Amino acid sequence: MSATRRGAGSALAPDALPALEAVPGVSYIMPILNEAGHVEEAVSTILAQDYPGQKEIVVALGPSTDGTTEIVRRMAAADPRIITVDNPAGDTPIGLNLAVAQTTHPVVIRVDAHSELTADYTARGVAVLRKTRAANAGGLMRARGRTAFQRAVARAYMSRIGLGGPAYHAGDEAQEAESAYLGVFRREVFEALGGFDGTLRRGQDWELNLRVREAGGLVWFAPELQVTYWPRATWSNLVKQFYATGVWRAEIVRRYGARNSARYFAPPLLVLGVTASLVEAVLQLTGSTRRWPRFVRGFTSLVHVPSAAYAAGIVTAVWRADDAGIRERLWFGLVLPSMHVSWGAGFLRGLATGAATNRDRSR
């Protein structure tokens, strides 16, 4: 990639970024809310990374009601590498920015209480930044599950028919990327761009990476960076999560328009298509279409074709999941349309009204 295309005059361009020292210190940032069942293991695992450089983790404490704050403060009192900062609003981007402001090292790694890094994640991430001169790098999100339902959700995350598109869900080749899962950042990103957009409760990673790219920086996908992600454990929480994600993706589309990938429009088109098919089916069953001219009835009947094709795709995906047990396969068949329809419905709502004060109620 030429310096001209990357923006040679930018402080984030590969040729403009200063070389990293041999073993740079690393700061981890973690916004957290109601994660009492995960936070202690998550923080301990992060600080146990197989990396010889200095480490610190800054935890932005949202207004948890399950004892999360008390657990983290107890850990911080016992380990000076754990730093806490209050995030009264509980919003993820605000917490991230508050955490970044307390960091001290040249590499900043975003982490999550629902994710587990491989032991060599930090060392590999630093090596990728050094080799590619990227401003941000991310890797594979390996979704996993403990129950049949959670395994079905993980399967949907990792399948093309599930989330599709982004390299960090199913990619296998190192490449320049639109965005990055979590992220191993050069500190210069935050110095140059001022951090995450505090008005985006979801999608703030994509938005920041858009600004990185527009500023001439390189966002890099490295498949050797792998993170285990544990999805929501109940159907209702999954639907709430994806509805909120759809709402906020629409807000990003309202703000940034064509700079969004075309794949984001597939779920709302699905919702519109299924709705049209249901309306047509009701009209047919009630006999309302009998009064229409034959060519009109034939034309409107075509609205069933996309929905039938989608249903066939779901059935085929379930059929091909022959390495899963019967309960997981049945859940997989429900999870896929649940994710698509809730995301699409949220997107349509967000496109019509904006995200406003919508929050993710899945935690």
Side-chain angles (χ1 to χ4, degrees):
M1 190 71 61
S2 70
T4 301
R5 181 181 168 189
R6 299 289 347 151
S10 169
L12 299 183
D15 291 346
L17 286 172
L20 284 172
E21 56 189 89
V23 186
V26 174
S27 300
Y28 305 88
I29 53 173
M30 176 190 287
I32 200 161
L33 178 67
N34 290 330
E35 296 289 1
H38 300 275
V39 64
E40 190 162 9
E41 181 179 4
V43 172
S44 299
T45 301
I46 291 162
L47 291 177
Q49 283 280 293
D50 186 13
Y51 181 72
Q54 293 185 342
K55 296 187 284 285
E56 65 181 3
I57 178 168
V58 184
V59 184
L61 297 169
S64 296
T65 58
D66 65 349
T68 296
T69 297
E70 291 73 17
I71 293 171
V72 176
R73 292 200 189 283
R74 172 175 52 80
M75 297 180 71
D79 190 332
R81 296 176 299 172
I82 303 172
I83 302 162
T84 64
V85 59
D86 289 330
N87 177 25
D91 291 342
T92 296
I94 294 175
L96 288 167
N97 288 337
L98 289 169
V100 169
Q102 298 298 316
T103 60
T104 60
H105 296 310
V107 175
V108 179
I109 300 180
R110 178 177 176 177
V111 289
D112 187 275
H114 272 263
S115 300
E116 297 176 7
L117 312 181
T118 58
D120 61 355
Y121 183 88
T122 301
R124 286 180 178 271
V126 171
V128 169
L129 291 185
R130 181 178 291 109
K131 178 180 178 181
T132 64
R133 306 298 288 268
N136 183 26
L140 279 172
M141 186 192 78
R142 293 291 192 187
R144 295 289 183 268
R146 296 184 175 92
T147 65
F149 172 79
Q150 203 175 35
R151 288 194 296 273
V153 177
R155 182 179 294 274
Y157 267 85
M158 301 298 292
S159 69
R160 289 290 183 186
I161 194 174
L163 294 187
Y168 55 79
H169 287 304
D172 57 3
E173 293 184 4
Q175 58 190 281
E176 186 174 354
E178 175 186 14
S179 188
Y181 178 57
L182 297 181
V184 181
F185 294 90
R186 292 288 300 260
R187 170 169 292 281
E188 288 84 352
V189 168
F190 302 103
E191 293 173 345
L193 303 179
F196 296 88
D197 184 337
T199 68
L200 288 174
R201 289 198 172 103
R202 300 188 71 85
Q204 64 278 156
D205 298 295
W206 181 91
E207 190 276 338
L208 177 58
N209 282 299
L210 171 65
R211 284 188 283 135
V212 168
R213 291 183 285 114
E214 289 183 340
L218 175 65
V219 179
W220 192 256
F221 168 72
E224 65 267 30
L225 299 178
Q226 299 193 11
V227 182
T228 297
Y229 172 77
W230 299 97
R232 298 296 190 268
T234 66
W235 180 82
S236 62
N237 282 342
L238 179 74
V239 169
K240 291 174 185 176
Q241 177 193 15
F242 271 78
Y243 181 82
T245 302
V247 169
W248 282 99
R249 174 53 61 180
E251 178 66 23
I252 291 174
V253 168
R254 286 165 63 100
R255 297 187 191 188
Y256 297 99
R259 284 176 284 184
N260 288 267
S261 170
R263 70 174 180 274
Y264 296 128
F265 296 89
L269 288 175
L270 169 68
V271 171
L272 293 174
V274 169
T275 301
S277 182
L278 290 173
V279 170
E280 173 72 6
V282 169
L283 292 175
Q284 290 174 335
L285 291 172
T286 58
S288 299
T289 59
R290 293 174 185 171
R291 298 188 296 271
W292 300 353
R294 180 173 297 179
F295 78 91
V296 174
R297 294 200 304 270
F299 179 77
T300 59
S301 293
L302 294 175
V303 76
H304 297 307
V305 174
S307 295
Y310 174 76
I314 297 296
V315 171
T316 300
V318 173
W319 178 262
R320 289 178 175 174
D322 52 10
D323 59 333
I326 184 64
R327 285 174 57 83
E328 182 181 331
R329 292 173 79 170
L330 290 174
W331 273 121
F332 185 49
L334 176 62
V335 161
L336 285 170
S338 296
M339 289 166 52
H340 296 154
V341 171
S342 58
W343 200 102
F347 185 95
L348 291 172
R349 177 266 166 104
L351 199 62
T353 66
T357 59
N358 180 269
R359 291 178 178 271
D360 180 0
R361 305 292 182 182
S362 66
R363 292 182 295 176

